[in-house]
Amino acid sequence: MAKRAPNISTVSTVEQILITGVLSERRGVVAGHSAGEAFVALAGVMANAPDRLPQALCDVALDLCEAGTTGISIIKTGTTGEEYFSWEAIAGRLADKVGGTTPRNFSPSGTSIERAATQLYSYPSRLYTYLDDMPVPIVEALVVPFLAAGRPLGAIWVLSHDERRFNAGHAYVLEQIGAFCGAAFYLIALQQQAVEARLDLEAEMGELRVADAQLQENLRQAGLTNGVLSAANQVKDDFLSMVSHELRSPISTIYGNAYILRNQGAALSSDEVSQSLQAIEHESLRLSRIIEDLLVLARPEDGGLPHERIDVSAILRTVIDAHGKQFPGRRIELEARAGTFAAGSENFVEQTARNLIGNAEKYSPVSTDIHVSVSDVNGEVCVLIRDHGEGVLPSEAEDIFKPFYRSPRTAAKASGIGIGLAVSKRFVEAQGGKIWVQAAADGGSEFCFTLPSLVEE
């Protein structure tokens, strides 16, 4: 067990151990050549072996920040629903502590994520006394939070165990490394999700082949014409062609940028490396959403789910903020009273809003606004998303919520396989709500969905 430094006693608030302000006084610059070579090397690891990237990030941070220990903490959820941090990778003097945990709501990483900013701590064990169990004292801890797909995912941190102190240069470099962390763990999660999705789809395809053989036999016995069989086969071929096209586009972008980083990384500027990484992250997110929607449609409809108390206005604000980062040229207005509560699933509402706002983005001019409003109507929470596109014909108002339907009027204007609205309908109805589309008074479309409302007590 580490001994606390002489005259260092326990404290009761985090403000008593935070010294972030001194970074502006501690001038320091990390050698640009060394940092540049390190980031190019990290880009190569990301392209060729992303599962090794977390440890590589720790090794680089340990060297560039001249630290005694560096590590990466990732937010996990326990069996009882509580969140905690898992030390996924560590380098330096405390490397044998990899796999350890700290509380989500009482830790340096948790405080840094809550404040959404880099934080510097002095003798953090004065407040977080469980750190006294470390074999060496922690004199300073510099902690940088990072995001993945717009959400807090974890933090990267460096520790000093002696007289060495962190400066503004160390903080800057650690923040750049933190940006790599978000992309790294997102790619690792996407790989795992892709493997699981492939296995699920292979199982589904096996069942579909059996069902197809039975269908062919039933149709033959029913005496249907070859023309009907040919039409059914054409629908199947068209669907497979659409799915293949939609999956090929993001995969090509990811592969192309990874190839450039691996083969030309040393000759690229930091801005060019950043642009390639942003393209990989954007297309990875798009690929993940396509897979998620296909898996939702593949699941049987079970008729509902347990309801929880959710803040609809807060969920919409989160979705709109994330959309704004991806499409900064689009203005989205939100008209909602704070604390509008409903009974439902936070995840289902978020994905429904994301699909509907994404549709408005694709099918309306970028110079026009998207308007989102929330209101209470007859004991229900009603969410309305209005765009200024070409609108939906009354004859298509029901068809567009069917899987794989795409309007002949707009199909050529944006890519897609026609599953987003079908998935949204599945989500809304599972929560006991309704979803529909209507013409907007000043042109365009209004997509609406309702949820059972809750009154805040």
Side-chain angles (χ1 to χ4, degrees):
M1 179 180 295
K3 298 292 185 181
R4 190 177 295 131
N7 301 320
I8 299 295
S9 59
T10 59
V11 297
S12 58
T13 67
V14 71
E15 301 299 337
Q16 293 172 284
I17 61 172
L18 278 175
I19 57 169
T20 311
V22 305
L23 289 174
S24 61
E25 302 169 6
R26 297 179 183 175
R27 300 297 179 182
V29 178
V30 176
H33 178 69
S34 299
E37 289 182 344
F39 285 123
V40 169
L42 287 174
V45 176
M46 174 177 280
N48 295 298
D51 57 318
R52 299 208 324 262
L53 189 54
Q55 189 60 51
L57 288 162
C58 288
D59 294 338
V60 168
L62 186 74
D63 179 42
L64 295 182
C65 294
E66 305 169 288
T69 300
T70 182
I72 295 175
S73 298
I74 299 297
I75 299 173
K76 299 288 184 69
T77 302
T79 55
T80 59
E82 80 287 357
E83 290 187 333
Y84 64 94
F85 286 106
S86 172
W87 294 350
E88 296 294 297
I90 300 179
R93 298 183 66 179
L94 299 179
D96 62 340
K97 299 299 181 181
V98 67
T101 62
T102 55
R104 167 71 171 83
N105 60 354
F106 189 66
S107 61
S109 295
T111 298
S112 300
I113 286 177
E114 288 172 4
R115 301 190 177 205
T118 300
Q119 301 294 324
L120 180 62
Y121 303 82
S122 174
Y123 291 99
S125 63
R126 291 181 291 160
L127 179 63
Y128 309 112
T129 54
Y130 53 79
L131 296 177
D132 277 334
D133 292 336
M134 297 296 108
V136 290
I138 300 174
V139 179
E140 284 192 353
L142 182 64
V143 184
V144 172
F146 58 84
L147 309 176
R151 292 184 176 182
L153 180 62
I156 183 167
W157 36 268
V158 291
L159 310 177
S160 68
H161 305 297
D162 47 36
E163 70 279 356
R164 283 175 293 183
R165 298 293 183 268
F166 298 118
N167 58 46
H170 297 139
Y172 175 78
V173 168
L174 196 61
E175 287 169 354
Q176 304 310 306
I177 297 174
F180 270 82
C181 283
F185 280 92
Y186 185 76
L187 282 176
I188 291 171
L190 188 62
Q191 279 186 329
Q192 295 172 343
Q193 185 181 29
V195 170
E196 294 171 359
R198 178 176 60 80
L199 294 175
D200 288 342
L201 288 175
E202 287 177 354
E204 290 286 339
M205 289 301 295
E207 295 176 4
L208 285 174
R209 281 190 287 268
V210 173
D212 182 63
Q214 184 62 51
L215 174 62
Q216 299 293 338
E217 177 61 20
N218 291 344
L219 291 174
R220 187 190 65 78
Q221 292 180 2
L224 296 180
T225 65
N226 288 335
V228 173
L229 293 174
S230 176
N233 284 327
Q234 185 62 47
V235 170
K236 177 188 68 176
D237 292 343
D238 289 345
F239 166 66
L240 292 175
S241 176
M242 285 191 300
V243 172
S244 298
H245 174 76
E246 285 301 305
L247 294 178
R248 188 182 301 117
S249 177
I251 289 173
S252 297
T253 300
I254 293 170
Y255 175 81
N257 281 278
Y259 181 86
I260 291 171
L261 289 172
R262 183 181 63 188
N263 292 281
Q264 304 175 26
L268 299 177
S269 67
S270 59
D271 286 343
E272 289 171 327
V273 171
S274 178
Q275 289 172 3
S276 290
L277 291 174
Q278 288 176 1
I280 289 174
E281 182 178 7
H282 179 271
E283 291 303 308
S284 297
L285 181 61
R286 178 182 168 196
L287 180 60
S288 175
R289 288 175 176 172
I290 292 173
I291 293 172
E292 285 178 4
D293 286 347
L294 284 171
L295 291 178
V296 168
L297 290 179
R299 298 188 194 111
E301 298 186 51
D302 55 15
L305 77 164
H307 286 183
E308 58 186 358
R309 185 172 180 265
I310 57 174
D311 188 338
V312 178
S313 54
I315 296 171
L316 291 173
R317 171 53 62 193
T318 298
V319 173
I320 290 171
D321 288 346
H323 187 90
K325 293 176 182 177
Q326 188 176 357
F327 300 96
R330 174 75 69 177
R331 183 169 179 266
I332 301 181
E333 296 178 343
L334 175 61
E335 181 183 344
R337 174 177 55 83
T340 303
F341 293 95
S345 162
E346 180 175 341
N347 183 50
F348 279 16
V349 173
E350 179 180 332
Q351 292 193 59
T352 300
R354 188 182 68 199
N355 282 343
L356 297 180
I357 292 175
N359 256 27
E361 180 69 45
K362 286 199 297 185
Y363 295 109
S364 62
V366 70
S367 59
T368 61
D369 296 345
I370 297 172
H371 181 79
V372 181
S373 65
V374 183
S375 58
D376 292 298
V377 180
N378 298 326
E380 294 181 312
V381 173
C382 180
V383 177
L384 181 147
I385 298 171
R386 184 173 71 241
D387 62 53
H388 294 277
E390 293 190 14
V392 177
L393 296 176
S395 58
E396 298 178 308
E398 293 185 7
D399 290 338
I400 61 172
F401 292 103
K402 296 178 180 178
F404 315 119
Y405 178 83
R406 302 198 70 211
S407 172
R409 297 185 306 118
T410 57
K413 296 183 179 181
S415 62
I417 54 178
I419 59 177
L421 292 177
V423 168
S424 298
K425 183 173 186 289
R426 180 79 63 87
F427 284 150
V428 170
E429 291 181 348
Q431 298 170 92
K434 301 183 293 293
I435 186 169
W436 69 93
V437 63
Q438 59 196 26
D442 54 351
S445 302
E446 291 180 346
F447 283 86
C448 313
F449 68 91
T450 62
L451 299 168
S453 64
L454 287 176
V455 179
E456 183 178 11
E457 297 180 358

